[in-house]
Amino acid sequence: MHGEHTIREIFGQPDLWPRVLEGLGPELAAMPFGEVQEVVFTGCGSSYHLAETGAKLFAAWAGLRTRFVPASELILFPEVIFLAGDRVGLVALSRTGTTSEVLQAVAAFRARGDVSGPVFGITCTEQSALAAACERTLVIPSREESVVMTQAFTGTLLALANWALVQKPDPLREAALREAVRHAETPLRHSDALKGIASWQVRNFVFLGGGLLHPIACEGALKMQEMAIEASAIAYHALEYRHGPKSTVGPDTLVILLISEAGASYEAPLLDELRGLGARTLAIATSDQAAIAARADAHFLCDAGLAAGAVEAVSDAARALLYTPLLQLLAYHRAVRNGADPDAPRHLSRSVIL
Ligand code: F1P
């Protein structure tokens, strides 16, 4: 069967998440930033989407000034990122720990005489070039065999959230994150329904999400490209979609809207508008947003069983964690429908080595 590693790794998330949440405390405590003006997160592909997630979590939860930059930009255009005299923490993400651009970005940062600060890595591969290049490296306990990243993505996301909480502890957020992890099975229960949606006759996939959900929308689009070889799978900040891209909407468009905490009252009219223009719509939300989500052609609520208030306390971090497996499953089922093998997509390898 095609995609057996991928589907096993997607369904392995309820096993992985508690191990990440409970098992990495001492390592996270041993990665202090000290006095830095800013923390820059970098990576490529899915790991770049994690860099965006990490930067936003550290800003919102730890109160640190952050940025996220693709590793190639760090190598080629450092003058727009660093200023002489900066003291900056660099966080380099790579599942394999072998992606050339990430390694070169770390080396280029270290080689600068005019910018200083700690360099931390996050990878799934302990014995890797990335681990060797960083002062300290957090190892996510996931060993994926598929080319595409699925459980390693959410495992790393969870580690980033936990790391942000180490910078600035918040018992309510910690408890709520644990609660979300306890319900890791919830999104997976929608697999059969997502299989049905994956068979819809559409050609354009549009993933919309704002704030912390923007990198999740990007990851959804990337999974659809990588796994299902769908040429038209793109992501936008939700409300940006009105500013031009909307002209492309038609009956062959599937809009997947990731409803956020702060944005819900703006995102709901967007959903109605795009549906009115003929798009098929899929809304992903939490149960407090059920009425909004039900305005779409199909919707999923990701927090069934969560204690009251738990999702609100972690807000969009819990949404990011619980929404992602739905997007992975949608892409997986579309791949199977398209006759593509998600374990080994054409033209791709596990990392890009230049
Ligand atoms: C980064 C990455 C993957 C992608 C691809 C090539 O890998 O861009 O996200 O699926 O096949 O490499 P890594 O640096 O996280 O190992």
Side-chain angles (χ1 to χ4, degrees):
M1 183 206 137
H2 280 334
E4 57 196 10
H5 293 309
T6 308
I7 196 68
R8 184 169 9 91
E9 287 156 7
I10 292 172
F11 274 84
Q13 289 172 103
D15 172 63
L16 174 66
W17 294 0
R19 289 190 285 122
V20 169
L21 197 61
E22 308 303 338
L24 301 181
E27 282 86 346
L28 292 173
M31 292 165 66
F33 287 98
E35 292 296 315
V36 291
Q37 296 153 314
E38 186 179 40
V39 180
V40 175
F41 292 77
T42 193
C44 299
S46 292
S47 290
Y48 172 57
H49 301 153
L50 286 166
E52 180 176 351
T53 311
K56 290 180 171 177
L57 277 167
F58 267 61
W61 285 13
L64 292 173
R65 185 178 299 283
T66 62
R67 245 184 307 172
F68 51 95
V69 191
S72 54
E73 298 280 305
L74 264 178
I75 305 165
L76 300 174
F77 310 106
E79 69 281 4
V80 298
I81 301 159
F82 302 118
L83 298 179
D86 276 355
R87 186 156 171 82
V88 174
L90 182 67
V91 178
L93 295 124
S94 171
R95 172 182 65 160
T96 57
T98 56
T99 295
S100 299
E101 287 141 285
V102 177
L103 299 175
Q104 286 175 23
V106 169
F109 180 82
R110 283 202 178 286
R112 290 183 71 109
D114 59 346
V115 177
S116 61
V119 182
F120 298 130
I122 304 187
T123 182
C124 296
T125 319
E126 191 165 6
Q127 304 297 328
S128 61
L130 179 66
C134 294
E135 270 159 60
R136 278 188 181 272
T137 303
L138 183 70
V139 180
I140 307 298
S142 165
R143 302 286 167 268
E144 288 184 328
E145 289 182 67
S146 176
V147 164
V148 299
M149 194 193 292
T150 54
Q151 62 163 249
F153 184 91
T154 53
T156 305
L157 190 163
L158 191 56
L160 287 164
N162 219 9
W163 197 16
L165 287 172
V166 168
Q167 315 302 312
K168 191 172 175 194
D170 180 324
L172 208 59
R173 285 186 174 135
E174 282 163 28
L177 205 55
R178 267 201 303 280
E179 184 74 357
V181 166
R182 273 201 326 115
H183 290 84
E185 298 279 355
T186 306
L188 305 178
R189 291 196 192 109
H190 297 304
S191 183
D192 286 345
L194 285 158
K195 188 175 177 181
I197 293 169
S199 70
W200 285 2
Q201 299 293 328
V202 289
R203 286 194 311 148
N204 305 312
F205 295 85
V206 177
F207 294 81
L208 302 180
L212 257 181
L213 300 179
H214 177 256
I216 305 307
C218 293
E219 180 64 5
L222 183 66
K223 292 303 96 166
M224 196 55 93
Q225 293 164 351
E226 287 184 322
M227 284 197 221
I229 325 291
E230 289 290 353
S232 177
I234 41 180
Y236 293 93
H237 296 272
L239 303 185
E240 275 295 298
Y241 194 64
R242 282 201 184 93
H243 298 271
K246 192 178 76 170
S247 68
T248 64
V249 164
D252 55 0
T253 305
L254 172 58
V255 173
I256 299 117
L257 177 65
L258 311 181
I259 297 183
S260 67
E261 178 83 47
S265 62
Y266 290 86
E267 290 156 359
L270 177 66
L271 196 60
D272 297 339
E273 184 181 337
L274 298 178
R275 203 171 173 210
L277 294 175
R280 310 292 300 271
T281 52
L282 167 62
I284 303 182
T286 48
S287 52
D288 53 317
Q289 301 164 326
I292 295 173
R295 284 148 68 167
D297 294 309
H299 71 277
F300 296 102
L301 305 176
C302 286
D303 55 333
L306 275 181
V311 167
E312 287 75 3
V314 281
S315 68
D316 287 343
R319 287 186 176 84
L321 190 66
L322 293 166
Y323 289 3
T324 302
L326 294 174
L327 305 183
Q328 295 167 346
L329 284 167
L330 182 64
Y332 170 81
H333 288 303
R334 185 73 177 185
V336 172
R337 174 219 183 248
N338 288 353
D341 180 1
D343 287 351
R346 63 177 191 177
H347 313 326
L348 297 184
S349 52
R350 278 168 61 79
S351 68
V352 175
I353 299 180
L354 302 173

